[in-house]
Amino acid sequence: LGQGNNPAGTGTMTVQTGGTVNVGSTQGPDPDGTPENLNQFTYNEGGGDATISGGTLNIEQNLNMGGNDPGQAVNTLTVSGTASLNIGQAVADVMDGVGGASLNGQASDITIVGGDASVKIANDLNLNADTNLTFDFNNTAVYDFGVEIGNGVGTNNRVNANGADLFLVNEPAGFFDNYTGDIILLTAEERDGGFGNVNKFDLFGTAYMYTDSVGGNIGVYGLVAVPEPSSLAVLGLGCIGMVVRRRRRS
């Protein structure tokens, strides 16, 4: 997808309810037992758009969001409804140094709409400071967004935020005021070598704090309520709210 393959356009793919797209031998290892290196879903340059509003997208190896040149639209990925995005699932040869099976989002917009959607990534979630990761509550009470990281056979699975912007949008009116429990954004398997640090998300949205240990469970990444923030913190949250509202209108 993207302007690298289609200079005059953007390149789009939509998977709807009942549809299935398989990239590579996602239902098991190759018959000859050797790993593949090119079974990837890749955005070339900017302007690519993938929307999974239902059905399933299976990718044997990496989903590469890529970057965009100046003047090009960013690449977007949206997972919503009853959709399932599976990166490196049920593949025996996915491990560190053998192709890999990660979601690599760079200079891109990634949106997970809460409800019945599911995202499973065998190895890493790699982002950077030019990426927006948005968790959309879709005006419903969502407590677990169904995103699982690092449940493959590798030993170096990590969430690498690298300063990516984390947005929380469309929560029900009064939801954060009335709810005092945990909200799980990402669930991460702890492998033999331990699990990597989140390496800083920039959070925009609510009086909640992003944490890498929800309820004391290492490897579960989510939100916990911030008790009685100071006046300085309240002022900061007010400014953050302005940023989110501006983004929604745009």
Side-chain angles (χ1 to χ4, degrees):
L1 299 184
Q3 293 177 330
N5 284 341
N6 184 8
T10 58
T12 62
M13 185 188 76
T14 302
V15 183
Q16 298 178 339
T17 301
T20 299
V21 175
N22 293 320
V23 180
S25 53
T26 56
Q27 304 309 310
D30 290 339
D32 61 4
T34 59
E36 293 291 333
N37 293 315
L38 297 175
N39 291 334
Q40 305 187 56
F41 186 109
T42 299
Y43 291 76
N44 289 305
E45 300 181 22
D49 177 46
T51 300
I52 314 170
S53 58
T56 302
L57 172 59
N58 295 314
I59 304 172
E60 181 176 2
Q61 294 180 315
N62 297 313
L63 195 165
N64 300 311
M65 298 289 291
N68 60 302
D69 292 333
Q72 292 183 342
V74 298
N75 295 307
T76 65
L77 169 68
T78 303
V79 184
S80 65
T82 58
S84 295
L85 171 60
N86 303 309
I87 301 175
Q89 301 301 305
V91 182
D93 59 16
V94 171
M95 63 187 69
D96 300 318
V98 190
S102 299
L103 172 51
N104 302 311
Q106 299 176 353
S108 55
D109 285 337
I110 302 171
T111 300
I112 311 298
V113 181
D116 297 320
S118 170
V119 177
K120 295 183 178 181
I121 304 171
N123 292 152
D124 303 339
L125 174 62
N126 298 313
L127 307 176
N128 67 8
D130 295 321
T131 297
N132 295 327
L133 175 60
T134 299
F135 289 91
D136 187 339
F137 286 80
N138 196 28
N139 296 307
T140 59
V142 180
Y143 305 105
D144 187 340
F145 277 83
V147 182
E148 300 179 14
I149 312 296
N151 54 358
V153 299
T155 59
N156 192 31
N157 306 312
R158 299 180 183 276
V159 177
N160 298 310
N162 299 317
D165 288 337
L166 177 64
F167 291 90
L168 310 174
V169 301
N170 296 326
E171 68 275 8
F175 177 63
F176 290 113
D177 296 332
N178 300 324
Y179 182 65
T180 59
D182 300 328
I183 299 171
I184 300 173
L185 302 180
L186 306 172
T187 301
E189 293 286 336
E190 187 173 1
R191 310 308 297 175
D192 294 339
F195 206 88
N197 294 327
V198 171
N199 298 332
K200 186 186 175 184
F201 269 114
D202 292 328
L203 172 62
F204 296 89
T206 71
Y208 267 63
M209 176 178 65
Y210 191 73
T211 176
D212 63 357
S213 180
V214 173
N217 298 315
I218 300 299
V220 179
Y221 299 80
L223 303 172
V224 294
V226 177
E228 299 182 3
S230 66
S231 58
L232 179 61
V234 170
L235 176 61
L237 289 169
C239 295
I240 287 171
M242 292 171 58
V243 172
V244 173
R245 285 196 294 274
R246 187 181 306 116
R247 186 174 185 272
R248 288 176 183 171
R249 283 199 299 270
S250 64

